[in-house]
Amino acid sequence: MKFAIIAAGEGSRLAQEGVKSPKPLIEIQGVPIIERLVHIFLRNNASSVSIIINNQQPQTLALLQKMQSNLPLNIVVKDTPSSMHSMHALMPHLQGDEKFCLTTVDTLFHEEEFTRFIKAFEESTTDGMMAVTGYIDDEKPLYIDTDDELNITAFCDTRSKENRYISGGIYGLTPKALLTLQRCIDEGVYRMRNFQRALIADGLSLKAYPFGKIIDIDHAGDIVKAEEFLSQE
């Protein structure tokens, strides 16, 4: 399976709160979060890992280039207006016959849960499998409606009684999803959540996979939360 990381955001909120390190280089348990993700992916039999960063991250690029000498990394350096556009910039590395898993760089999870997710997606016949969680600590969460068998029926900006979960920022997809992605780009669609809605509109079958907890690092205080969370592995 191919893996990919979106790490092209500016991390402006962290910078405003005094965090000097670029988001991908924030260390949790002494390891930069982007390096942690790469090694987790490799332990889950990644055939390749493709990463996009922006042009304002020379330190991150230097780390990735150093890692690239020993690992199957594809590095894209490009400024993009949204995560969906970042995914599109990675698309040449995701095309082919293999399934792929895409995450945002600031997504923190327990590795054992992730490995179970990957195994379930590998064995699945659905067009996609999305990590979801009932833990909500996000300013603008994407709520997810499912049926009783955890088939995803809608992606929602607001909460309702049908919303048990929010998106966890981990997307398992088949190459079929790239056709929808290209359509979204051609039609001027923005935002990853609108791409996910387009997957439903195009008739792709998507399954929700519940994680106990997933943490995003958006604020300085989230770094402490992540340290505490991962210490429970």
Side-chain angles (χ1 to χ4, degrees):
M1 187 183 298
K2 297 178 180 179
F3 289 78
I5 302 171
I6 294 175
E10 296 180 356
S12 55
R13 286 175 292 188
L14 287 163
Q16 291 169 2
E17 294 171 7
V19 178
K20 297 181 180 179
S21 175
K23 183 184 280 191
L25 299 186
I26 289 173
E27 293 190 1
I28 303 296
Q29 297 183 331
V31 180
I33 56 176
I34 195 165
E35 185 175 350
R36 177 180 185 270
L37 276 177
V38 169
H39 287 291
I40 288 175
F41 294 166
L42 292 173
R43 287 193 289 272
N44 280 275
N45 302 316
S47 59
S48 67
V49 180
S50 301
I51 303 169
I52 180 169
I53 63 173
N54 62 41
N55 281 293
Q56 291 73 51
Q57 296 190 47
Q59 295 167 287
T60 304
L61 178 59
L63 172 64
L64 293 177
Q65 288 175 331
K66 182 178 179 181
M67 294 171 62
Q68 191 179 34
S69 63
N70 298 310
L71 302 175
L73 296 187
N74 302 308
I75 304 169
V76 176
V77 181
K78 185 177 182 180
D79 295 334
T80 59
S82 77
S83 293
M84 188 195 77
H85 288 78
S86 293
M87 181 181 175
H88 184 257
L90 291 171
M91 196 166 80
H93 300 294
L94 302 177
Q95 292 171 324
D97 298 327
E98 289 183 79
K99 294 181 177 182
F100 62 90
C101 176
L102 174 81
T103 76
T104 51
V105 72
D106 60 344
T107 301
L108 275 293
F109 47 79
H110 284 157
E111 184 172 346
E112 288 184 1
E113 273 194 309
F114 182 78
T115 297
R116 291 194 293 271
F117 164 79
I118 292 299
K119 186 174 186 295
F121 179 47
E122 287 177 333
E123 296 174 351
S124 172
T125 58
T126 60
D127 297 315
M129 185 170 286
M130 308 298 196
V132 300
T133 178
Y135 174 76
I136 303 176
D137 187 25
D138 197 313
E139 294 168 349
K140 295 181 180 179
L142 178 63
Y143 297 96
I144 294 179
D145 285 351
T146 68
D147 62 18
D148 292 339
E149 296 180 347
L150 293 179
N151 297 302
I152 297 175
T153 56
F155 296 94
C156 311
D157 291 325
T158 56
R159 190 168 196 174
S160 70
K161 62 181 180 180
E162 286 80 20
N163 303 138
R164 287 187 289 167
Y165 303 111
I166 64 169
S167 173
I170 306 171
Y171 316 98
L173 294 166
T174 63
K176 186 177 179 181
L178 298 176
L179 298 175
T180 297
L181 177 62
Q182 187 61 55
R183 177 177 70 78
C184 287
I185 293 293
D186 293 342
E187 294 177 0
V189 174
Y190 275 71
R191 304 192 73 188
M192 184 66 80
R193 61 183 58 192
N194 290 327
F195 161 64
Q196 293 178 79
R197 291 178 177 121
L199 293 172
I200 296 289
D202 284 353
L204 275 70
S205 58
L206 304 178
K207 203 90 170 179
Y209 186 95
F211 277 56
K213 191 174 183 179
I214 296 173
I215 290 180
D216 290 338
I217 299 180
D218 293 320
H219 297 281
D222 295 333
I223 299 173
V224 176
K225 293 178 183 178
E227 288 277 5
E228 293 173 350
F229 171 56
L230 293 186
S231 69
Q232 300 166 4
E233 282 189 301

